[in-house]
Amino acid sequence: MGDRRQILSFDALRAIAAVLVMSSHVRDVLLQEYRQGFGRLTQIFYIVTSWGHPAVIMFFVLSGYWITKAVVERQEAGAFTWSGYLLDRLTRLWVVLLPALVLGAAADFVTLEVLHFPPPNWGSQSILPHIETHYSLPYFAANVLFLQGLFAPTFGTNGPLWTLANEFWYYLWFPALHIAVATRRITVPAILALGTAILFHSFLPGFVCWLCGSALYLLSRRFGPVNATWGIIGWLPFVVFFFLDHDSGSGVHDIALALACILPFWRMKDWPLKKGPVAAYGAGSSYSLYAMHYPLLAVVVALLGLHERLRPSVLAIGACLALSAALILAAWGFSQLTERHTRRVRQWAGSLGRSFGPGGTAPELP
């Protein structure tokens, strides 16, 4: 899997990004919108919990790096097969996604059908209008097939699942186009990739962000470690764009942030980190936290019986922090039942596939 230090630094980033996404939703669901007159500490809390969307862009860049590394190195070694690659990607996604959808369906039944939450005046931006109409079997199936955001909404309250559809299609588009360019041949996968990219054009800005991870891999491979001076310089635009990025619906800000990620992440690859709880959580539980936190958050708030979001106070902010900690712990437990067994499920699915015919092996990806 390469240099363990670079995996540790990127794993730590994954943990931080997942917690930022989750904390932004906790604050949005529990607390009122920020208004002038709130105290300085409250203002800082609102700023820190507004970084969920730029954290998603960080996820895209890291994903682009890892998938590009695996595809390029496998293809150059003559060992890339679509069967093995799809086995690897689908097991990685479904091992967490399918249980998360089932868990979300159960939680949403209580939230939407029993407690009839949220009330019309709740006002949370991360709870979509008429969310109760998103709770249906066809939408469940569409999310299983990574069609949310294309032909269906995200299932139930689990709005964060929109990124998994993006990721799935990027996983298909990149190797199809890369292999066509590397072999200088027009292939059926490349034609299908171009056709679906045109059809699903709303995903293209995110794909550009994802390809910044490809650029990160190719540049670091070609030129080696970046020196400390350039690494420090690279953090400046990253910090600026990270603070300015928000979920505005425009891909320009997101692409600018993704481009700004390249240089500092390049430098981070060579940080001599030691194995610790943050990197371990990023490697083993960040996907679980991302995929399952929102339905649990919604059902907990519904069970509290609140009639409106809370005005920020020491007690309310403390409740946000406590709930965030509980979700982080719950996701760790969930990951022990799901993510932890990805390799075992992959091996079982591979052996099952080989019993019906020849198949390829897949690189082990984080």
Side-chain angles (χ1 to χ4, degrees):
M1 296 175 70
D3 186 349
R4 184 59 185 164
R5 289 177 300 171
Q6 79 181 56
I7 296 173
L8 288 175
S9 60
F10 285 3
D11 284 349
L13 276 178
R14 289 161 63 189
I16 293 169
V19 170
L20 287 175
V21 171
M22 177 271 301
S23 63
S24 70
H25 293 149
V26 172
R27 191 263 299 163
D28 179 55
V29 172
L30 270 181
L31 301 188
Q32 299 174 1
E33 297 298 319
Y34 179 79
R35 295 194 298 270
Q36 294 294 330
F38 289 167
R40 180 59 57 87
L41 291 178
T42 299
Q43 183 180 15
I44 294 172
F45 179 75
Y46 272 71
I47 291 174
V48 173
T49 55
S50 68
W51 294 336
H53 185 73
V56 170
I57 305 305
M58 290 169 54
F59 270 126
F60 280 167
V61 174
L62 293 172
S63 174
Y65 173 87
W66 283 115
I67 301 302
T68 300
K69 182 179 189 299
V71 169
V72 170
E73 294 179 0
R74 201 76 176 177
Q75 186 269 331
E76 290 179 345
F80 179 89
T81 64
W82 276 104
S83 59
Y85 177 75
L86 290 175
L87 172 67
D88 183 52
R89 292 295 83 208
L90 287 173
T91 51
R92 170 61 174 159
L93 291 170
W94 275 339
V95 160
V96 173
L97 175 61
L98 297 182
L101 284 170
V102 172
L103 176 66
D108 283 349
F109 177 78
V110 176
T111 302
L112 303 173
E113 304 294 335
V114 177
L115 299 177
H116 304 289
F117 178 87
N121 63 341
W122 194 257
S124 174
Q125 294 182 2
S126 56
I127 297 180
L128 300 177
H130 308 294
I131 192 66
E132 67 280 357
T133 64
H134 298 183
Y135 184 71
S136 69
L137 186 58
Y139 292 160
F140 183 100
N143 280 241
V144 169
L145 299 175
F146 307 104
L147 296 176
Q148 61 270 33
L150 297 171
F151 303 107
T154 51
F155 176 70
T157 62
N158 207 341
L161 294 184
W162 70 269
T163 63
L164 296 189
N166 289 58
E167 289 277 2
F168 173 76
W169 291 100
Y170 302 161
Y171 292 164
L172 299 184
W173 292 348
F174 175 78
L177 298 176
H178 167 74
I179 292 172
V181 171
T183 60
R184 299 182 181 180
R185 289 188 296 127
I186 298 176
T187 63
V188 172
I191 294 172
L192 292 175
L194 289 172
T196 52
I198 294 172
L199 183 62
F200 306 152
H201 57 85
S202 62
F203 283 6
L204 290 178
F207 189 44
V208 176
C209 297
W210 194 94
L211 288 174
C212 288
S214 303
L216 170 61
Y217 167 72
L218 296 172
L219 288 170
S220 60
R221 174 181 168 174
R222 172 66 177 83
F223 297 105
V226 67
N227 64 49
T229 300
W230 282 108
I232 293 172
I233 293 173
W235 280 103
L236 298 178
F238 170 79
V239 170
V240 170
F241 286 118
F242 188 90
F243 274 88
L244 293 178
D245 189 87
H246 55 91
D247 193 3
S248 63
S250 170
V252 176
H253 295 91
D254 296 340
I255 293 171
L257 173 59
L259 287 169
C261 286
I262 295 175
L263 199 53
F265 287 12
W266 187 353
R267 176 61 180 170
M268 285 185 68
K269 287 172 70 275
D270 298 289
W271 282 3
L273 296 182
K274 295 182 179 180
K275 187 174 182 179
V278 176
Y281 193 92
S285 305
S286 59
Y287 178 23
S288 291
L289 178 62
Y290 187 88
M292 53 74 73
H293 75 272
Y294 206 103
L296 289 186
L297 166 63
V299 74
V300 168
V301 176
L303 289 169
L304 291 175
L306 300 177
H307 298 291
E308 61 181 8
R309 290 188 294 172
L310 302 173
R311 180 178 175 83
S313 64
V314 173
L315 183 61
I317 292 175
C320 287
L321 295 176
L323 182 52
S324 296
L327 290 172
I328 290 171
L329 182 60
W332 176 83
F334 183 81
S335 71
Q336 300 306 294
L337 301 174
T338 56
E339 282 190 80
R340 184 179 180 182
H341 302 287
T342 299
R343 180 175 297 181
R344 183 179 303 175
V345 173
R346 182 177 299 150
Q347 291 171 346
W348 171 81
S351 63
L352 185 65
R354 285 191 294 272
S355 69
F356 290 96
T361 59
E364 292 292 339
L365 299 179

